[in-house]
Amino acid sequence: MRKRVQHQSGRLLSEFLVSLGLFFLILTADLSIVDLATDSASQARTTQFGLGLAQNALEDLIADSRAGKAMVRHSTHSQSVSKGKVVRFNQTVRVAPMAQFSSHLSLATVVVDWDNGRRKIRLERYVAGR
Amino acid sequence: MSQDVERETTFSTAKSLFAALLALGAGFLFLFSALVTTIGEAGSVYDDDSAVKALGRMVRSDLIDLVPGSLRVSANGRELTFSVNPSKPQQIHYRFDGESGEVFREQKGQTPNKIGRLKRLVFAKEASLLSMEWNTSHDTVRRTWALDRWTHAKGAK
């Protein structure tokens, strides 16, 4: 009788352990899917913010009446892109007059980088000084 | 004796089945919650993006034909009005409904175009810049357009 109870207990324990193993196997796969999906969404949002920053900087230059003059300007901008995650964007605006072509024409370059420089957006445009 | 063993085996199988179903249910529950989280996150990105992108595209394409000096922003920043097509001016009106959160584009003789839904939207005119500020689910974002460029381009013609 005792032998049979021991046998049953052993079988139950092994079933429990197998179930536990399967549960953690599925849990790991599920968690990695959720993590990948939220990470992709967060990256898409961050890239959108970075692009918006670069576009705004170019629009500011177009509207600026002194845009034709040579200059380099660095700035930083922090943005909350997802719950509890704040991304720091570094922005560099450079204006280089193109004296060889025109006395009024300059090349404006806006570079926005984040994630320690691993991700970068660069926009270029000719701007006219007035 | 054999009946006892049989009853015990049945009971044990029933217990195993119950535990397996319970575990399966918990697994499905977890899968479902993970799915809801993922769809929610992706949905929030899509909702903010689709409305703002559509609005940005429309405002930008309308501004190309802007009648100089016609742009007006209401005091509360919820309405933007300007005229396009200098040869035959037509008024364009963008309106943000603070209660429903819906953004409309209205043009005389046409049915109002519902662009999308946003939590907050404020238009502002600062010197020769038009800015649009809106709230996403996490932060405030701003987009600007230089107004002078269009008049300069027309002047250069």
Side-chain angles (χ1 to χ4, degrees), chain A residues 4 8 11 15 27 30 34 37 41 45 48-49 55-56 59-60 62-63 79-83 125 130, chain B residues 5 8 12 16 30-31 34 38 41 44-45 128-129 137-146 149 152:
Chain A
R4 216 181 67 212
Q8 275 189 342
R11 209 188 67 187
E15 277 175 0
L27 190 73
D30 279 352
V34 172
R45 202 194 291 266
Q48 196 65 38
F49 279 132
Q55 285 173 336
N56 285 353
E59 293 293 321
D60 284 347
I62 295 164
Q79 187 87 43
S80 169
V81 288
S82 59
K83 286 168 199 159
R125 197 199 141 92
R130 286 158 218 164
Chain B
V5 171
E8 218 165 300
S12 168
S16 292
F30 182 77
L31 261 177
T38 311
E41 183 71 19
S44 73
V45 172
S128 60
L129 271 176
S137 43
H138 303 293
D139 215 339
T140 304
V141 191
R142 192 165 168 266
R143 181 83 182 86
T144 54
W145 293 276
R149 115 179 68 193
H152 273 279

Side-chain angles (χ1 to χ4, degrees), chain B residues 68-142:
Chain B
S70 68
L71 195 135
R72 300 277 179 276
V73 175
S74 67
N76 60 9
R78 286 181 178 174
E79 289 174 47
L80 169 71
T81 312
F82 55 88
S83 297
V84 294
N85 191 4
S87 56
K88 195 183 168 191
Q90 277 181 306
Q91 203 173 60
I92 307 275
H93 187 69
Y94 284 91
R95 182 169 59 83
F96 172 66
D97 188 334
E99 283 175 20
S100 65
E102 285 171 345
V103 189
F104 297 92
R105 179 186 181 275
E106 294 162 348
Q107 195 173 349
K108 204 176 176 183
Q110 288 181 13
T111 50
N113 182 6
K114 196 167 91 178
I115 301 166
R117 197 184 286 263
L118 287 167
K119 285 177 185 160
R120 181 179 153 264
L121 179 71
V122 177
F123 293 106
K125 186 175 180 276
E126 303 148 16
S128 60
L129 271 176
L130 168 68
S131 74
M132 183 175 96
E133 199 176 275
W134 69 95
N135 277 22
T136 66
S137 43
H138 303 293
D139 215 339
T140 304
V141 191
R142 192 165 168 266

Side-chain angles (χ1 to χ4, degrees), chain B residues 22-88:
Chain B
L22 204 70
L24 201 68
F28 273 120
L29 203 70
F30 182 77
L31 261 177
F32 183 71
S33 65
L35 201 68
V36 168
T37 310
T38 311
I39 290 172
E41 183 71 19
S44 73
V45 172
Y46 177 76
D47 283 347
D48 292 342
D49 273 9
S50 61
V52 164
K53 274 183 183 170
L55 180 62
R57 260 200 313 270
M58 284 181 181
V59 171
R60 188 183 162 86
S61 72
D62 282 338
L63 285 177
I64 290 172
D65 217 12
L66 174 74
V67 174
S70 68
L71 195 135
R72 300 277 179 276
V73 175
S74 67
N76 60 9
R78 286 181 178 174
E79 289 174 47
L80 169 71
T81 312
F82 55 88
S83 297
V84 294
N85 191 4
S87 56
K88 195 183 168 191

